[in-house]
Each structure stands twice: as C-alpha cells, then as structure tokens.
Amino acid sequence: MIRDPIRDGLAAGWKVTDASRLERDLVLDADVAVVGTGAGGGVTAETLTAAGLDVVMVEEGPLRSSSDFHMLEAEAYPQLYQESAARKTLDKAITILQGRCVGGSTTVNWTSSFRVPEATLAFWRDRFGLSVLTAGELTPWFERMEQRLAIGPWTVPANENNALLARGAAKLGIATGAIRRNVKDCWNIGYCGMGCPTNAKQSMLVTTIPAALARGARLVCGARVDRLRLQGGRATELVCAALDPRGVHATGKQVRVRAKHYVLAAGAIGSPAVLIRSRAPDPHRTLGRRTFLHPTVISAAVMPQRVDGHAGAPQTIFSDHFLERGPIDGPIGFKLEAPPLHPVLFGMTLQGFGERHAALMEAFPHAQVLIALLRDGFHPESHGGAVGLRDDGSPVLGYGLTPVVWEAVRRALLAMAEIQFAAGAKQVLPVHERAQPYSSWAEARAGIEALPLEPLLTRVVSAHVMGGCGMADSPQRGVVGAGGRHFQLANVSVHDGSVFPTSLGVNPQLSIYALTARNASALAADLTGKAAPPSG
Amino acid sequence: MPTRRQFLRYGVAGALALTAAGIARSQPADRVYRAASGAEPLTVLGAEDRAVLAAIAPALLAGAVPERRDALVGSVDRAVAGLPPHLQREVLQLLALLGSWPGRRWIAGVASPWPEASREEVAAFLERWQFSRWALLQQGYHALHDLVLAAWYARPDSWPAIGYAGPPEVK
C-alpha cells in the first residue's frame, strides 16, 4: 500500500479549503497571499513559512494526490491540466500543456531538471541589465533546490524511446547527455504526466506544499484569482471566484485574501492575466509581452523492434548539439528530447484521420518520437507572444510563428528524421498535415524540404510557457526587478516562469525553483526584518 | 476582445458565414448558461449536435472503429462538458453551424443530411477543411479531429487494436 502524504496531512488537520464547497464568501487575512502552487508558489510558500510568515495559497485547480492518480489520460487531462490539455494559442496553431492542480505543472511534468545555461544568463545580463544574475550568484540556490528535491542523475538504463535518440545521434557524431530527474525511489513506470502514483516524483505536491501546510499555511483550492484590488501603488486585497467541483464554472461565491504582500505564481499565462485584469500600471507596455514557448515540433518514427514509449522514465536523454552550433542570437537553435507516448496524446497529435491514421496507431508499440524545442526570444526577430483577455476575462496567448521560427522548424524536422533513420527507423513521419511516412533519409530530406511550413499544417506544441512579467534592471525593459518585485506595485512580487526575459533553452522547472528560492528568501528577510534562515 | 479579433484575423468569410447562418450567438451560449446554472450536468450536447458527431466520428475513426458508436458520442459529450466555458462555446458553435442547413450544405459542402451522409462524403468534407485556405475552417477540422480521436483513444476498448495493455498495477 502506497502512503498518500496528502490524505495523511488532511487527516492530521491541514488547513485546506475546497472552494467549490463554500456556501458563503470566505475572507482570509495573512502575511502573504501566494497565487498558484506550482514551481514558484510551492517554493515561495515553503520559504516564507520557514521564516515564520503566515501564508495563504490560492490554487485554481483541485487538490489531487497519489490515491487519485490512476495513470489514465481520460482522468488526468480534465482534472490536472489547464483547459483539459486543450489550451491553445489565439490562432489555435500551438497546443499548450500546463498543469492546473495543486503542485501546478510540477504535478504533471516529466521530471526533466536542468540549470539555466550560462549563455542564457549572459544574454540577460547583456540585454536586460540583470548583472546580479551570474552563475556564481545562482549556484548555491541551484544546489539547495537540487538537494531539496532529490535532483540527480538517473542511473537506470534509458527506455528504448530515449535510447534510440542516443544511438541515432551517436551514429551521426551528435553528442547527447543524460537528463537529471527530481525523483526518489522511482518505479520507472512512465506515467509522470498523469500525476505520480507512487509519490516518487519530488513535485511541489509532495515536498514544499506539505512542508508549508505542516507549518500552518492555509490552502484554498478550486478558486480562480480574478484580480488584485489596487490602491495608491499597492495591492489591498486578492479577489477570487470559487469554481464548481469540475473547475469549469464559477459558483458565485467569492474568496478574498487580505495580505501585507502578494506573490503571483500562476504561470506565464496566468500571472500576467491577473495583473491585466487588475489594471496594474503598465507605463512601458511590457506586461504580458515577450511570452516564450520553446515552440516544439515533432517527428514520429516506426522502428522494427518494440519501443513501448509509454513505459519507463519519460525523458532521460537530450541533445544540445543544435543549440550550440552558432551564436545564441543567430538562427534559432533547438534542443532534442524524446517524449513519453500515450494513446490520447499520441492519437490527437498525429496528423490525418481515417484509415491512414488508424494504420499509424496500429504501429503504436513500435513508435519512436523525437521533439525539437526551439529556443525563442534571442534572435532579434523572435519577440514571442502576448497575453490578452477574452471577453469573459480568461487569458489567451497570441503567438506569431514568424519566418525565423519556420526556418528553424525545417532544420529541426530534418535533423530529427536523420537521427531516426540512423537509429534504424523503417519509416519517419514529421507531424505535419501534408507529410507522408518516408522510407529513407533521402526521401525524407526531399519531402521535408518541400513541406509548406504554416500554422495549422505543422503541428506545434509547447509545455514551457515563459515570460510576460519579465525581469530587467528598469521598468522600460521589464515588469519586475531581478528580485521579482513589481516595478510599480510596492507589495507585489512575481515568482514563476513569467519572469524570464527570454526562453531558457532548457526545461524550466529547476530554474524556477532556484530563482524563486533566492527571491522568496530575500522577500522573507524583507518582511520579517531578519536574515533568511539557512535552509528551507 | 480577442474572440472578435480572432474572427477578423483568421477567417472573415467563416465568421460572416457563421453570422449569416444566424447561429453565432443565441442558442449555444444559452445552453452553456443553462449548464452553468444546473447541478453538475455531464452533458452539454443537444440531439442535433449528437447527430452531427455520430455522422462525423465514423469517418475520422475509419479503420479504428468498426461501426457507428453512440457510446463514443457520449464520451465526446463528457469531454466537452469538462472544457472551460469559452471552449465549450466554440465547440457548440461549430456543431450548431454544421447542424444547420446552410452550414452543412454551403460551408461543409455536404449535400445529404448528416444521418444519410456517406463516409466518403464526410471524409471529403473533413479533407477540404483540413487543407482549407480559411484558418477558421482548419481550426474547425482540428477541433473535430482532436475531440473525436481523444475521446476514442481515452477508452480502454480502443487499446487492444493498438497493442497497448493499459497502465500497470501499482499497489
């Protein structure tokens, strides 16, 4: 029997309110209100409660835990993901995977853990005046969070889906590396994306949030933050709408939190949206701008042997070969990884329909898939997207796929197909409405060169939303300072991936953990008047 | 107002057609509102929506599903009910468009009423939308593709044909 630390904690009296059950409005007072419980919110809550501060966390999604995680896509996507995993950009050309549950995306991510590359930090120092963000400054925070979340090398052999990336790349002289993971006693099952059923993944759900709750923090889940009430350059109240048990419609009940300080950690679409709905000052029109996605394209292959891409740790091998070939602000580079394969996501993602689609699905056990994550935000013509609001106040990201992106997409589709054939693929199929399965590298090269690269023909996805409340040295260039403090609102901070001024070029969770640990510690010191405690 | 901007930017003709068909407002929005006020409804699709899906799903799933499956339409219905209101509204608008005579006849280009449309006729319509020059129609294709394929491959009875044994036992 697997112990469920969340159910144990609830039984022990954690202060958790499911807003869907509220029969009247709820008003709470706290030192700090934290919006969101993902990588930023979780680390913030743990750090602030360790400093003795009274914290209220507000989460839009539900509280679900290992007992609820049945490894079924039909349950996981509606319960644990933003918009049932069907969130898309404004033109519907990019599908965005983000968590919406206690623990946020950390509850459903694939455990890939990287430090922000030095080249990215150097670009931020040079272009955004973030001179304090050196590797030396951040290293202790990375080390601290790596220890806290058991981030380390994965010593079990890679599953075949990942091993094929390593083997194919090696044949072509392309270097690959091993991905570090935030797991303890991992069962190597492969269902990280549906919530870890064994609590091996050291997500916020089983680490920082329980620690904060054990110290008396309060958690309100099933409540969507509507806005901050602002007065005289300060936030005075957080106003939230309680949602029905499925998290679809507002029930009409309100949750309001009055705090000395407010931390936004609602993700890079959610946090800018809260500020926009709050009519936060935006004198230089930086809010919600420069939102980056690591736009990701996909290449499927059919191998002679079984691959079983659903089984085993999902992401364990990567290649940065195509990130390191030119200057960071030159033609857009890309990172290569191999994603987990499960029937719903695989079936939805593959192009076409009818007999041809069914034939591809029959090859499911033999399918090998590579993804290329494009490093956006560095090239002078890669400005990213902008967050806006629909008529009903819900956020939507507009992201233009521009020629510099498409040029990189073609190189990425070519590179992935070549690696897959080198690894022994019988067929390679770029995920594009006009592409057919190619039987040789020569055929694939000619086919991919001729593909019309356009939105809604080329499948583009993203699981890494970054930016929109960018850090900078001045309000002309960003929304918050290097410490995460809002330039115009004295008692508002942003602690999540929205503070990154560009994309990272790596999966973002660890960089959010480390930067948040740094900034939350400084905030705790400010609010308590005491130096930050040595450990979380 | 991104919704309006979206229509303008991504398919003026489609938006005009929607309005001309007289269904861009009223009915679907009312249905979402009723769903919101009720106690946890698990369905949002009306009989006409279900008829449209019952005709379209077999073409999308040809080769995967042996015959028309009403249960599959129920799976789509439950999936739609879990979508955020703005997406529910879009899906209902799309199905209302397809269910209307001018929508089916002139925008989808399907001559027969849905229950009588052949699989080939439906597949030809899907392919026209898949490669349409109008983004709104391409978006409509993707919505149908994703809804129906996701609903099917979420069902354990779809797994034997693709060699997937389902999740392991964890105790």
Side-chain angles (χ1 to χ4, degrees):
Chain A
M1 187 69 188
I2 293 161
R3 197 177 68 86
D4 183 333
I6 301 302
R7 293 200 179 173
D8 291 352
L10 291 171
W14 283 352
K15 291 177 229 160
V16 176
T17 303
D18 176 353
S20 73
R21 297 185 180 185
L22 289 176
E23 287 173 3
R24 59 181 69 85
D25 291 355
L26 178 67
V27 181
L28 300 171
D29 289 283
D31 290 329
V32 183
V34 178
V35 178
T37 60
V43 173
T44 298
E46 172 167 73
T47 307
L48 298 182
T49 53
L53 291 160
D54 180 26
V55 170
V56 169
M57 294 173 268
V58 182
E59 168 57 51
E60 179 181 8
L63 175 59
R64 295 281 184 273
S65 55
S66 54
S67 315
D68 308 307
F69 297 151
H70 301 129
M71 301 176 279
L72 294 170
E73 292 177 281
E75 293 180 3
Y77 299 149
Q79 289 184 20
L80 306 178
Y81 282 71
Q82 281 290 357
E83 309 191 22
S84 292
R87 176 169 267 190
K88 288 178 192 269
T89 49
L90 179 61
D91 64 356
K92 304 202 184 293
I94 309 177
T95 302
I96 297 171
L97 296 178
Q98 282 183 298
R100 189 190 77 158
C101 54
V102 174
S105 294
T106 75
T107 299
V108 294
N109 74 13
W110 300 335
T111 73
S112 301
S113 303
F114 295 89
R115 294 185 183 188
V116 57
E118 168 54 25
T120 299
L121 290 176
F123 189 86
W124 294 355
R125 292 195 296 270
D126 183 42
R127 307 296 172 90
F128 296 91
L130 296 168
S131 53
V132 296
L133 294 186
T134 59
E137 166 69 17
L138 290 177
T139 296
W141 300 103
F142 276 116
E143 287 170 351
R144 176 159 154 178
M145 291 314 300
E146 285 160 358
Q147 190 178 12
R148 174 73 182 93
L149 303 174
I151 291 170
W154 175 244
T155 53
V156 176
N159 72 1
E160 186 65 359
N161 196 39
N162 280 271
L164 283 161
L165 167 56
R167 293 206 296 271
K171 287 233 172 92
L172 300 171
I174 291 170
T176 55
I179 299 179
R180 294 190 303 158
R181 309 182 63 219
N182 56 320
V183 294
K184 258 186 198 169
D185 303 323
C186 171
W187 292 28
N188 198 27
I189 297 171
Y191 289 77
C192 311
M194 292 161 230
C196 181
T198 69
N199 297 307
K201 174 161 63 176
Q202 300 297 291
S203 67
M204 299 298 97
L205 177 65
V206 302
T207 58
T208 55
I209 292 167
L213 290 169
R215 292 189 195 110
R218 285 162 288 170
L219 167 65
V220 181
C221 54
R224 180 159 56 217
V225 172
D226 178 27
R227 66 193 186 278
L228 290 163
R229 251 189 247 287
L230 305 178
Q231 200 173 19
R234 296 180 65 81
T236 58
E237 191 175 48
L238 185 68
V239 184
C240 321
L243 299 178
D244 66 30
R246 282 179 303 123
V248 175
H249 298 287
T251 63
K253 299 293 177 288
Q254 263 193 354
V255 178
R256 299 198 299 278
V257 187
R258 294 181 297 221
K260 297 184 187 113
H261 199 91
Y262 300 82
V263 175
L264 298 180
I269 292 178
S271 290
V274 170
L275 288 169
I276 294 169
R277 286 195 296 265
S278 308
R279 299 179 189 281
D282 181 23
H284 304 286
R285 296 180 60 77
T286 50
L287 176 59
R289 308 298 173 102
R290 291 188 60 81
T291 304
F292 301 105
L293 290 172
H294 287 157
T296 297
V297 291
I298 308 157
S299 185
V302 179
M303 293 290 161
Q305 73 275 32
R306 280 187 80 101
V307 177
D308 289 325
H310 57 86
Q315 289 191 311
T316 53
I317 303 289
F318 74 100
S319 174
D320 280 351
H321 175 84
F322 298 95
L323 283 176
E324 291 162 353
R325 303 187 85 189
I328 199 167
D329 56 352
I332 295 177
F334 48 90
K335 187 180 200 74
L336 294 179
E337 293 176 342
L341 308 182
H342 294 280
V344 171
L345 217 47
F346 189 66
M348 273 171 70
T349 303
L350 278 185
Q351 65 263 40
F353 62 91
E355 307 279 355
R356 280 208 296 241
H357 187 278
L360 293 169
M361 290 303 292
E362 278 173 27
F364 180 67
H366 294 259
Q368 195 275 338
V369 173
L370 292 180
I371 51 176
L373 298 81
L374 275 56
R375 181 173 56 188
D376 52 346
F378 295 86
H379 187 285
E381 288 166 40
S382 176
H383 306 293
V387 174
L389 302 178
R390 295 189 187 86
D391 291 350
D392 65 2
S394 63
V396 59
L397 174 66
Y399 189 104
L401 290 161
T402 53
V404 290
V405 176
W406 291 124
E407 184 275 329
V409 164
R410 198 178 306 277
R411 275 186 284 119
L413 292 175
L414 287 165
M416 292 190 287
E418 187 174 16
I419 289 171
Q420 287 169 315
F421 279 115
K426 288 198 296 185
Q427 289 185 322
V428 170
L429 178 70
V431 181
H432 183 291
E433 299 295 340
R434 292 274 186 203
Q436 303 293 329
Y438 305 119
S439 303
S440 70
W441 164 228
E443 196 191 329
R445 183 162 52 190
I448 293 167
E449 292 287 4
L451 283 178
L453 297 182
E454 294 168 21
L456 300 167
L457 288 179
T458 314
R459 190 80 79 251
V460 184
V461 301
S462 167
H464 303 161
V465 193
M466 298 157 282
C469 299
M471 291 182 285
D473 62 342
S474 75
Q476 283 77 23
R477 293 200 277 191
V479 174
V480 300
R485 303 289 290 258
H486 193 280
F487 280 126
Q488 288 87 24
L489 300 171
N491 61 341
V492 174
S493 299
V494 183
H495 289 182
D496 61 20
S498 59
V499 303
F500 298 139
T502 62
S503 78
L504 296 176
V506 293
N507 306 49
Q509 67 164 340
L510 176 52
S511 302
I512 301 171
Y513 297 142
L515 187 66
T516 298
R518 172 188 185 267
N519 291 348
S521 297
L523 177 63
D526 274 2
L527 294 176
T528 59
K530 290 180 282 198
S535 72
Chain B
M1 282 181 281
T3 305
R4 194 165 305 151
R5 185 150 40 98
Q6 179 180 343
F7 277 138
L8 289 174
R9 190 162 157 206
Y10 296 107
V12 175
L16 286 175
L18 273 173
T19 313
I23 50 179
R25 266 155 289 185
S26 69
Q27 189 191 1
D30 290 351
R31 237 183 291 155
V32 171
Y33 178 77
R34 277 212 309 276
S37 59
E40 285 310 293
L42 277 174
T43 61
V44 288
L45 301 183
E48 285 173 27
D49 304 324
R50 298 173 74 95
V52 171
L53 278 170
I56 291 174
L60 285 163
L61 293 170
V65 187
E67 66 231 53
R68 292 194 176 193
R69 301 282 289 266
D70 287 344
L72 182 75
V73 175
S75 301
V76 173
D77 202 351
R78 281 188 293 281
V80 175
L83 293 173
H86 73 92
L87 280 180
Q88 286 192 25
R89 218 172 288 128
E90 287 181 10
V91 171
L92 291 172
Q93 282 178 0
L94 172 64
L95 293 174
L97 167 76
L98 290 170
S100 72
W101 182 82
R104 171 177 56 77
R105 185 68 193 84
W106 300 112
I107 302 174
V110 174
S112 321
W114 288 112
E116 292 149 36
S118 69
R119 199 175 273 191
E120 292 69 30
E121 207 175 357
V122 175
F125 135 69
L126 288 169
E127 201 169 306
R128 278 194 300 277
W129 280 29
Q130 181 184 10
F131 298 114
S132 172
R133 55 197 287 247
W134 302 108
L136 200 72
L137 302 189
Q138 285 180 292
Q139 292 166 356
Y141 163 77
H142 283 291
L144 295 168
H145 175 276
D146 291 6
L147 274 173
V148 170
L149 290 170
W152 172 237
Y153 288 106
R155 295 166 56 97
D157 53 343
S158 74
W159 298 342
I162 62 167
Y164 174 61
E169 280 276 308
V170 171
K171 280 217 167 90

